[in-house]
Each structure stands twice: as C-alpha cells, then as structure tokens.
Amino acid sequence: MNLKTPFSFLIIIIFIFFSACDSQNHKTENRVVIGISADVQTFNPLFAFSVDEGVITELLYLSLFDFRWNNEKGELDSYPMLAERWEWAPDSSHLKIFLRKDAFWTDGEQITSADVVFSFDVFSDPVVQSRMYGNFRNLYFDNENHINIKKTFTIISPYELQVNFPPSSIPSLDDLSSPVLPQHYLEKINREELATSESNLNPVSNGAYKLTGWDKNQAITLSADTNSFLFKDGMIAQLVFKIIPDYTSRILQLKKGELDMLELVKVEDVDEIKQVEDLRVTALSGREYDYIGWNNIDPVAYGKGKIIPNELFGNSRIRKALTFAVNRKEILEEYLQNYGQLAVTSVSPIFKSAYNNDIKPYDFNVDKAKDILTSEGWKDNNHDGVLEKDGNDFRFTLYYPAGNPLRDFASTVIRNNLKAVGIEMDVQTMELNTFIDNLVDKKMDAWMAAWYIPIPVDLKNYWYSDLEATPRNFVSYQNKEVDKIIERLETKISGEKRNELIKKFQAIIHEDEPVTFLYWTPDICAYNKKIKNINITPLGAIMHCWEWTFNQ
Amino acid sequence: MRKEFGKTFIKRFLSSLLTLYLLVSFLFIIIRLSPGDPTNKYVSSQLSPDLAKKISASFKLNEPVSDQYVAFLVNVIQGDWGTSYNYHQPVLRVVWQYFSFTFVFALLSFIIQLIFSFYLTIFIVNKRNRLLDKIVSDMSLIVYSIPAFVLGVTLIYIFSVNIDLFPISGLRSLDFEGMSFTSKIFDQIHHIILPLITLSAAGIALFYRYLKDNIDVVLNQTYILHLKASGFRNKIIMTKHILPNAVRPLISVAGIELGILLGGALITEVIFGLPGMGRLTIDSILARDYPLVIGCVFTSGAVMIATNFIADLIKIKIDKRLTVELMN
C-alpha cells in the first residue's frame, strides 16, 4: 500500500458526495408520488387484471358515467362523465345517452358513439378474453356471452346513442360502466392479437391524465392533459407511481418524504407514521373481511360426485358454537389495534341502507359453545381433553395461505380458544396457488381466508345453492330461502324492497353461520398533508385525483 | 494439441446442450404436475361453467402433458419460446428486459469482488500473522455469514435514512429524463452503490478467504524457499510464482459465483427495487406463468454452464496440461 490508496478513497468519497448533491438538484414541484408494489404489464383496461393496473387504467380511460360513493346512504351515485346526460325510457327498456362534444382522445380525435359501441363489443368478445368478459348480463348477448351489438346499440348520431335492454333484465348504469376505448386506434389490430399488441403499452387515452413516462420497474408518470375537459388550473401536474417491491422500503420512503401517498399500510406502522408531521393517516374498513370457512359438505364425497353434510361442520348449531368459542375481539384489539370491526355477515356496514343493524355479532362465550356442543352429542367421554361423538374425535386442520402475520396471530388465538372447549385444531399454511386450487376443488374441511367484496352488493356468486354455477361458494352453503331471496333480487323491484331482502338475507346467514365471520380488516392510507381535496371512500383513495390540489 | 482441443470443445458443447435440454424437459413436466392453475384469473365468476371451461381450454393446458411437450419442443426449435401469460409478450423479450440489467449488475459486482478481494489479500499477505491479518480473517467470516437482507436493510438504515447519502431504492431518480448526460451517470452510480455493496460483500469475503488460503499453501512450498534463497525479489516471487499457482483453484469458484450472480440476486433486487432475473423468476413461479418460468430457468442454466465453461478455458490458458482433463 502506498499513498495512492487513500487518495483513491478520497476521490471516491468526493464522487459519491457530488453525485448525492447532484441528484437532489433535479426535483420537480407540483407532483404527487404514490408508492406501488409491482409494475403494470398493460395500460389497456381490457387486460388490467391486477389492482394497480386497474387503478392506473381507470385514470387513463374514462367511462360514460362517474360513480361516486354516497356516504350518507352507503351506495353509489351516478354523475355525468363522457355522457353529458341520459334519458331512461319509462319502462327501462332503453336508455338514451348524449355524449360530451368536448371530449377528445390524446391523439386529438373526438370521442364518439362509435367508440362506445366498439368498447362494449371488444370487452365482451370471447376471442379477446378481457377482464370483463362475462359481466354484461343485462344486455343482449349470444351463447358465447358476446354482446349482440345490433340489438343492443342504436347509433343516432356521433354524440347520441341508444342502449336497448332485454325485457327480462334489470338494467342499471352500472351495466355500462366499462371504460370507453379508442376505436380508430384499436380496430386495426386483429382481436386475437390484442392482448399481445404494442398498443397496450402506448395508450391513446381520454382521461384527465395521460401517460408521459414509463421507466419499467421503476416508475410510471402520468401528466395532466391540458386538452381534457376535466383539466383545471391548480390540479396536480404529475402523478408518479413509484414501483417499490419491498414493503419496508415503501414505509421508509414515505417517512423520508420520497413518497406522498401509500395505501395498504400495516397497522403496526401507523403509530410511527403518525409521528411524521407532514403525514396524515386514514383507515377505512368494510371492503374486505377475514373469515373461517367451514366446509358445509363432505369433501371426500364431493370428490366422488355426492353432496352430503360435513361430519363436523354440516350442522349450523355446531358452526355457531365454533363462532361462540373464538375470541374475535381479542384479535381485533391485540393485532388490529381496533382498526377494523367485527364482521356479522358478508354484507358490509358501508352499505348503510341495506345493512341490518338489528343483528349483533355473536359474543365470545365459552360456556354457550360448550352447551351447544354437548347438546349435539359432542362429549369428552375418555377424558383426554378432546370431544368425541360416535367414536370420532373433534379434530381438524385449519389451512391458510402462507405469509400473512395477521392470520398467523389469529390462528394461534383460534387454536387456543377451540382447545378450551375440547376441540383439537392443527394449523397448516399453504402456498397461495395450491390453497386456491384446494378451495376451488372443495378439498379442505376448514380454512382461513378473506373476501374483497364488490360494490354494489353481490350475493349470488357466494351464497347461491347451485354449486356448478357459483364456483365461489367455497363452503357449499345451500339454503332454499336464501336462493329465493337471491332470485328475487334479480327481478325488477324497488330499491327499498331490495334493501329489505338483503336485510332478510343477513338474518338468515347470521342464523345459519355458514362461516365464522371474523372482522372487516382496515385499508390504511397515509398521505402528505400538502395534498388537498383527497376524498378517500370505499372506492379507493386515488379515484377523482384530478380534483386534488396542493396547499398553498 | 489444437485438434484435440477442438474435438473436446465440440464434445463439451454438445453435452451442455443435452444438460439444458434435460433441465427444460424436467421443468416442463414438474411445473405442470404442481398445483395451481394459471387460467384462474382469466375466468370471471359470472361465466357459465361451460364458458369457463372454454377459456381454460384456450390455454391448451387441458391437453395431455405429452402433447403439450411435443408442441413446446417444436416451437422452441423454431425459436418460439411462447408468450408470457402475465406480460402478454414473447418470453424471450421479457427475459431480455430483465437479463440485460442483471448482466450489467452481476458483472459489475463480479469485477468489484475480484478486484477488492485480490488487493485485500495482497495487502494482508504482506502482514501475515499480525493482528490485522487476524482481524480481517475474522471479519471476512462475519461478512460472509451476514444474510443479504440484513446487510441491505442495515446499509439503507445507516446511509439512506440516517445520513441521507444514498437513495433507499430504485435504479434512477424520478427526474432522470430531465438530467444532463453527466448528471445521469452520477445519478445511476448514486443509486447502484448500496445494492452493489450488498451483493458483493459476501463474494469479496469468499474470494479473500480462498485466495489467502491458497497463497498460504503456496508460500509454504519448498520451491518458494529456494527462490528466496536464490535472491529473487519478493515482488517477482509473488507475481511470477505465487499468484499464478494460487489463483488457479479460485477460477472454478469464480465461474460458479458469476453463474449464480447472472441467475439473479432476488434479495438484493427486492430490497432495492431492481429489475433483475431473480425477481422475474420468483414472480413467474408464483403466478404460474409456465412459459416464463421455463424461459427464466433456461437462461439461468445456460449462463451457469457458460460461465463454468469459460472458467475452464481460462484454466487451460494458464495450464495447457489441463486441456483433456477439464474438457471431458
């Protein structure tokens, strides 16, 4: 070693210092940086399968109508967006839509009725395999679920069109909520090749923001489109979605001020974030609930094509006893620090008009649980601490996907709770895809998972008795009364009647307890106080971000 | 000798191809037998069971594995590795996007590992059996034992959070496009320093220990004593006699290390938000993106075989006697 070595180190340190200072000198003002965990693979709403793709494509592509959350009523209200106004036929057989004349694509072309018709055509085309394929039940469609364009749409002028609905349908504006796509840009592409087309990465869009930069796996930059009818002076000039796969890095960058907004913050980080002066934290619950699924039918028999009640969980009184035995409040208080609330049924309290306030959650009551189990013939005759009936122990395995600390904590509490009433529960984690496979094939007796609920309320997909038609009814719950309610909800009824039926549904589900509803988990969002006009609703935090401004 | 080399070179090349073929074939069958259905996310719950089956069938995963395998081989021979389910792009294009970063990142790390460990070893050899020698030897063991995620997070905590000298993650600043050419270079260096330290630390420690042990062995040989007694200068003995003999065993280790680096560094990539092969491979496995899994594993396998092959060529260059032994 000679003098050269320390000299080289000195040069390196000066170089690092200079590069650090140099990077700090290039900061753009008037932008909001939002942290996300993964890059998008498309900017085309047809194929926006991930949550982040959905959020970004919703900003790029507007729909005919603007849906906003009405917190008073707990339901969606519709406002004009690309449709300036609309007129329903008195018998709801058709809807006339009048488009805005000041709405343009980013390449300068005007948005017309033809774009609207093209969008519904391509979204429902089985060849395209879009994310909304199969979702247009209230329109005329063929036996492949492709919308019958001729029967459904009548173009009156470039800015006026009529949508015709089948006589038996119960149409709503929600049926026409898919984003409008540019016909002139996409029609040249063979539909079979749309999914792999380069056009998905170079969008011609119509939103308040347009794509101006995409540094793959690093950041997505959207800039305010001054030609958009939504553009206003003072709106945020740039939205940057910064891709940071590691959660800890996202939190550090939020605290350091490198991020202005972060969703899906974990409860354990809230206190520290609240210490940062520039940050504000909001917690909303009601979109996702955790539950313990009790397979109502026997998985082995189901594999052989037979449906018989599950030996352990086929009886609603036993399922109720299990709910009494689990201290859900402890998990809510200890782990979720009271962010969130106990779940009673699958209908969220956010749907204020349809929520049944008369139903109260089952208490944690060990004695009651034991009484029910005893009355159902489960007794510890051999005094080994485990209940038996007909020579069989009350013993089972609870499965859940690996990598969720809340469920690790909850499973320990549940195991201890059930042990106290004489039930032996093993716990086993599983890789997510394997878990989903087993759920779909109904191979497990008991599991812990979550449901992210749709808006508006959807019951059929989860609770209807036809197990072939409703693959998401994982617990195989079957109740004829519930079926009747679900079928009534698919007929033309008033909003009041609809809410009444949903309340009745909740009462039956509460009585049957097909699963143990645990708690509504919180969606915690942290953002910089400098952003004004943020309206965080069950629809998300970023929706309507063109209304955000900066505090002066 | 040259003819012998050419013959064994072709033999080695063909056996490498066979290894890759077996690797890809084994993987093709294993991932199809493993649980998980990549078509799940494309099937809406609103679809009738018949239409849902039709969508799943369009992925051709319902066909017998043997039929799928034959179709796959025919396509690969024609240069078509399939289309990624998630990226909706040809597999080779997706792999290239990630491999190009991994190639540069791994190569930089490899060069740093070699240079640092080399100079550190030479420096310490001159101070053999002193306190510094012991401290560095113990430290190298500690550094080698520290998991990358611990080192990475510690570096971020010290240099990014507390001192604010380096960015926490990412490859570039958000305003990269608006920077001048020199600023762009500074910016990239600024971003890559902590990831490079995280990725290289264990390799430096490993190479140091290997090289140091080898030098110690050579130094104890009688011919070195003979050279010293004959009056050769220490520098000559080191460069002409000790180093060539000590470096040779290191070349194989370096070849394997480079192959591992080029296969991706998952932990470093995730902590620092870098777009490398490690992340791509794991993401494709978790998403059951079958064509992409095969593309990633093939690439990693190919670079591993290639780097080992290059390492053997370098060894032959140093010692021609090894030609037949190594090429076979």
Side-chain angles (χ1 to χ4, degrees):
Chain A
M1 277 291 197
N2 51 32
L3 267 177
K4 276 182 192 169
T5 311
F7 183 67
S8 316
F9 276 114
L10 186 67
I11 288 182
I12 290 171
I13 287 169
I14 291 170
F15 185 77
I16 290 168
F17 182 74
F18 180 70
S19 59
C21 296
D22 196 62
S23 294
Q24 311 261 334
N25 289 336
H26 294 87
K27 282 195 174 165
T28 305
E29 298 299 324
N30 198 8
R31 77 167 168 214
V32 168
V33 184
I34 301 161
I36 55 174
S37 62
D39 202 356
V40 300
Q41 312 308 340
T42 183
F43 293 104
N44 190 336
L46 285 169
F47 310 108
F49 286 98
S50 79
V51 176
D52 291 329
E53 284 170 350
V55 168
I56 291 168
T57 54
E58 269 179 26
L59 292 179
L60 293 174
Y61 292 89
L62 302 174
S63 306
L64 289 169
F65 314 104
D66 182 22
F67 295 99
R68 287 175 190 251
W69 185 251
N70 183 327
N71 211 28
E72 305 263 304
K73 291 193 215 161
E75 58 189 36
L76 289 174
D77 283 345
S78 344
Y79 294 89
M81 185 53 85
L82 290 176
E84 196 169 40
R85 61 192 177 90
W86 55 89
E87 287 170 8
W88 278 102
D91 60 352
S92 302
S93 62
H94 66 263
L95 173 75
K96 256 190 187 175
I97 296 171
F98 302 88
L99 297 180
R100 299 182 70 104
K101 290 178 182 159
D102 59 349
F104 295 91
W105 297 104
T106 45
D107 61 1
E109 294 281 328
Q110 200 146 21
I111 297 169
T112 64
S113 307
D115 290 318
V116 177
V117 175
F118 170 79
S119 307
F120 285 95
D121 183 21
V122 81
F123 260 113
S124 66
D125 191 337
V127 166
V128 174
Q129 294 186 2
S130 84
R131 76 181 157 100
M132 292 182 95
Y133 176 55
N135 286 9
F136 303 98
R137 287 180 153 188
N138 285 318
L139 306 179
Y140 288 101
F141 56 83
D142 64 16
N143 53 7
E144 286 210 303
N145 271 18
H146 192 173
I147 294 174
N148 185 327
I149 296 298
K150 274 190 184 164
K151 263 176 135 173
T152 305
F153 296 100
T154 314
I155 294 181
I156 299 162
S157 79
Y159 309 107
E160 197 181 336
L161 73 154
Q162 182 172 302
V163 187
N164 309 305
F165 300 100
S168 57
S169 65
I170 355 155
S172 71
L173 294 184
D174 190 44
D175 295 314
L176 304 169
S177 65
S178 41
V180 176
L181 303 170
Q183 183 189 25
H184 67 281
Y185 186 58
L186 298 176
E187 71 179 346
K188 294 169 259 178
I189 303 158
N190 185 337
R191 291 206 180 167
E192 280 176 0
E193 289 161 12
L194 255 176
T196 54
S197 162
E198 283 291 317
S199 66
N200 300 333
L201 310 178
N202 304 297
V204 170
S205 56
N206 59 20
Y209 286 90
K210 61 182 177 182
L211 180 74
T212 49
W214 185 26
D215 188 1
K216 281 186 185 171
N217 289 298
Q218 298 298 305
I220 297 156
T221 307
L222 307 185
S223 300
D225 184 358
T226 49
N227 293 322
S228 168
F229 64 92
L230 290 168
F231 180 80
K232 265 188 240 153
D233 284 337
M235 75 188 258
I236 308 292
Q238 246 184 26
L239 293 178
V240 178
F241 292 87
K242 193 172 180 187
I243 298 138
I244 312 160
D246 182 45
Y247 173 77
T248 312
S249 293
R250 290 200 291 277
I251 290 292
L252 286 174
Q253 294 194 36
L254 177 77
K255 288 199 247 177
K256 211 180 151 190
E258 290 178 16
L259 292 182
D260 296 312
M261 180 181 258
L262 184 63
E263 288 189 272
L264 301 176
V265 172
K266 291 181 186 169
V267 169
E268 53 266 37
D269 294 308
V270 170
D271 285 344
E272 273 197 39
I273 291 172
K274 279 184 174 170
Q275 310 271 316
V276 182
E277 205 185 317
D278 292 338
L279 296 175
R280 184 170 287 158
V281 179
T282 62
L284 274 186
S285 65
R287 275 313 290 269
E288 188 174 324
Y289 69 89
D290 272 22
Y291 72 95
I292 308 171
W294 311 116
N295 198 341
N296 291 201
I297 61 167
D298 186 85
V300 180
Y302 181 77
K304 292 172 186 163
K306 283 184 202 161
I307 293 183
I308 55 169
N310 190 297
E311 196 185 2
L312 297 178
F313 312 118
N315 176 341
S316 67
R317 278 176 55 76
I318 298 289
R319 296 193 295 264
K320 237 187 275 181
L322 292 166
T323 304
F324 276 122
V326 175
N327 193 348
R328 298 174 293 161
K329 226 171 179 180
E330 185 189 344
I331 306 167
L332 193 67
E333 285 170 2
E334 296 285 321
Y335 194 93
L336 291 172
Q337 296 170 31
N338 280 326
Y339 287 101
Q341 63 185 105
L342 286 185
V344 187
T345 70
S346 64
V347 177
S348 168
I350 62 168
F351 302 114
K352 287 177 184 159
S353 313
Y355 188 69
N356 192 336
N357 285 302
D358 297 336
I359 304 171
K360 299 293 170 218
Y362 292 117
D363 293 329
F364 171 53
N365 192 331
V366 176
D367 292 336
K368 214 164 183 178
K370 280 182 179 171
D371 286 348
I372 296 173
L373 289 165
T374 310
S375 67
E376 289 297 322
W378 289 97
K379 288 172 191 162
D380 185 11
N381 296 319
N382 58 5
H383 304 291
D384 65 346
V386 181
L387 302 173
E388 304 102 35
K389 187 180 173 184
D390 304 333
N392 296 322
D393 284 351
F394 203 135
R395 202 184 288 272
F396 66 93
T397 303
L398 180 85
Y399 298 90
Y400 64 92
N404 186 321
L406 166 62
R407 291 195 194 127
D408 293 336
F409 180 86
S411 65
T412 309
V413 172
I414 295 164
R415 183 169 49 191
N416 292 338
N417 289 160
L418 293 183
K419 198 165 190 156
V421 295
I423 295 171
E424 193 70 26
M425 182 185 96
D426 290 326
V427 171
Q428 199 171 317
T429 57
M430 221 181 240
E431 190 266 338
L432 182 65
N433 280 290
T434 313
F435 180 80
I436 291 172
D437 255 16
N438 286 343
L439 263 187
V440 173
D441 296 340
K442 303 182 193 293
K443 281 183 180 167
M444 297 177 288
D445 278 315
W447 65 90
M448 188 163 34
W451 271 125
Y452 188 78
I453 57 148
I455 294 176
V457 177
D458 175 18
L459 304 177
K460 188 169 186 179
N461 271 316
Y462 308 89
W463 305 111
Y464 196 63
S465 295
D466 184 346
L467 301 184
E468 279 291 304
T470 54
R472 286 188 188 174
N473 183 359
F474 295 139
V475 291
S476 305
Y477 173 67
Q478 290 175 313
N479 182 317
K480 282 180 181 158
E481 215 178 332
V482 165
D483 290 348
K484 274 183 197 161
I485 291 175
I486 291 171
E487 283 157 13
R488 276 297 306 278
L489 286 170
E490 290 195 331
T491 59
K492 280 184 186 170
I493 47 171
S494 67
E496 244 170 64
K497 184 72 196 166
R498 185 182 155 76
N499 289 340
E500 198 184 296
L501 285 169
I502 295 173
K503 283 179 183 173
K504 199 174 166 194
F505 161 83
Q506 291 166 72
I508 298 169
I509 286 285
H510 187 61
E511 195 49 40
D512 281 352
E513 197 71 352
V515 306
T516 291
F517 296 96
L518 292 171
Y519 25 72
W520 293 95
T521 47
D523 178 6
I524 301 171
C525 174
Y527 63 92
N528 198 310
K529 284 179 184 169
K530 70 181 180 183
I531 311 170
K532 248 170 60 178
N533 295 344
I534 289 192
N535 185 19
I536 299 176
T537 70
L539 296 178
I542 298 166
M543 256 199 148
H544 301 109
C545 60
W546 53 85
E547 291 169 357
W548 296 354
T549 55
F550 277 136
N551 277 325
Q552 294 303 314
Chain B
M1 192 71 177
R2 188 170 288 179
K3 200 177 168 188
E4 187 73 26
F5 178 81
K7 225 168 142 182
T8 44
F9 179 88
I10 290 167
K11 241 169 118 180
R12 178 74 183 263
F13 179 74
L14 290 175
S15 78
S16 298
L17 277 186
L18 180 69
T19 309
L20 279 174
Y21 165 72
L22 291 175
L23 174 73
V24 167
S25 302
F26 178 70
L27 189 73
F28 185 92
I29 293 159
I30 280 290
I31 55 172
R32 273 161 179 78
L33 296 179
S34 64
D37 184 355
T39 65
N40 272 346
K41 78 172 184 179
Y42 301 95
V43 181
S44 162
S45 61
Q46 311 264 352
L47 284 177
S48 66
D50 281 349
L51 280 177
K53 274 178 198 152
K54 217 170 170 181
I55 291 277
S56 299
S58 70
F59 283 74
K60 294 180 179 168
L61 294 171
N62 295 341
E63 293 174 7
V65 176
S66 55
D67 291 1
Q68 291 180 49
Y69 178 66
V70 171
F72 165 75
L73 283 185
V74 170
N75 287 338
V76 166
I77 289 165
Q78 291 166 351
D80 177 10
W81 284 77
T83 303
S84 158
Y85 300 153
N86 278 350
Y87 289 77
H88 306 293
Q89 286 179 41
V91 163
L92 288 186
R93 195 191 299 170
V94 178
V95 169
W96 174 247
Q97 281 166 10
Y98 285 76
F99 184 72
S100 52
F101 166 77
T102 291
F103 184 76
V104 175
F105 186 50
L107 217 59
L108 273 175
S109 170
F110 185 67
I111 292 166
I112 287 170
Q113 288 177 29
L114 287 181
I115 292 176
F116 263 77
S117 56
F118 183 80
Y119 280 102
L120 184 65
T121 314
I122 301 295
F123 178 69
I124 294 299
V125 162
N126 292 329
K127 292 175 173 38
R128 274 174 85 207
N129 302 326
R130 291 196 210 161
L131 181 66
L132 188 65
D133 180 12
K134 285 189 174 175
I135 291 173
V136 174
S137 287
D138 291 347
M139 280 295 291
S140 66
L141 197 65
I142 292 169
V143 170
Y144 185 69
S145 314
I146 296 175
F149 70 90
V150 174
L151 183 63
V153 171
T154 310
L155 289 174
I156 289 173
Y157 185 72
I158 296 169
F159 293 104
S160 305
V161 177
N162 286 334
I163 307 179
D164 200 12
L165 196 60
F166 297 107
I168 294 172
S169 80
L171 199 54
R172 289 176 273 272
S173 293
L174 294 177
D175 301 293
F176 185 78
E177 283 309 315
M179 291 178 180
S180 65
F181 180 69
T182 45
S183 295
K184 279 182 178 173
I185 292 173
F186 281 131
D187 188 66
Q188 296 238 290
I189 293 169
H190 189 210
H191 279 79
I192 207 74
I193 287 175
L194 289 190
L196 272 180
I197 294 173
T198 307
L199 188 62
S200 309
I204 292 172
L206 177 76
F207 288 161
Y208 165 77
R209 290 192 76 84
Y210 255 93
L211 195 57
K212 173 83 178 3
D213 287 351
N214 292 339
I215 288 177
D216 284 345
V217 170
V218 178
L219 272 171
N220 290 330
Q221 301 287 319
T222 48
Y223 70 89
I224 299 293
L225 198 64
H226 180 78
L227 288 169
K228 279 184 181 171
S230 306
F232 281 91
R233 280 192 295 140
N234 277 346
K235 201 172 175 180
I236 299 287
I237 297 173
M238 180 60 84
T239 52
K240 297 270 182 198
H241 299 279
I242 298 176
L243 281 178
N245 286 306
V247 159
R248 205 178 300 145
L250 188 72
I251 294 170
S252 299
V253 182
I256 294 168
E257 172 72 1
L258 181 60
I260 292 170
L261 287 172
L262 287 170
L266 176 70
I267 306 289
T268 312
E269 288 165 15
V270 170
I271 292 174
F272 293 99
L274 305 173
M277 285 296 289
R279 251 169 80 188
L280 183 70
T281 309
I282 292 297
D283 287 348
S284 62
I285 292 170
L286 294 178
R288 300 291 191 272
D289 191 341
Y290 296 160
L292 194 54
V293 173
I294 291 176
C296 289
V297 173
F298 173 80
T299 309
S300 303
V303 291
M304 182 59 95
I305 288 170
T307 50
N308 275 290
F309 190 53
I310 292 166
D312 287 348
L313 290 179
I314 293 169
K315 278 198 269 184
I316 290 165
K317 183 84 183 159
I318 294 172
D319 187 347
K320 295 232 169 5
R321 290 170 302 177
L322 295 171
T323 305
V324 176
E325 184 193 326
L326 284 175
M327 295 305 269
N328 285 325

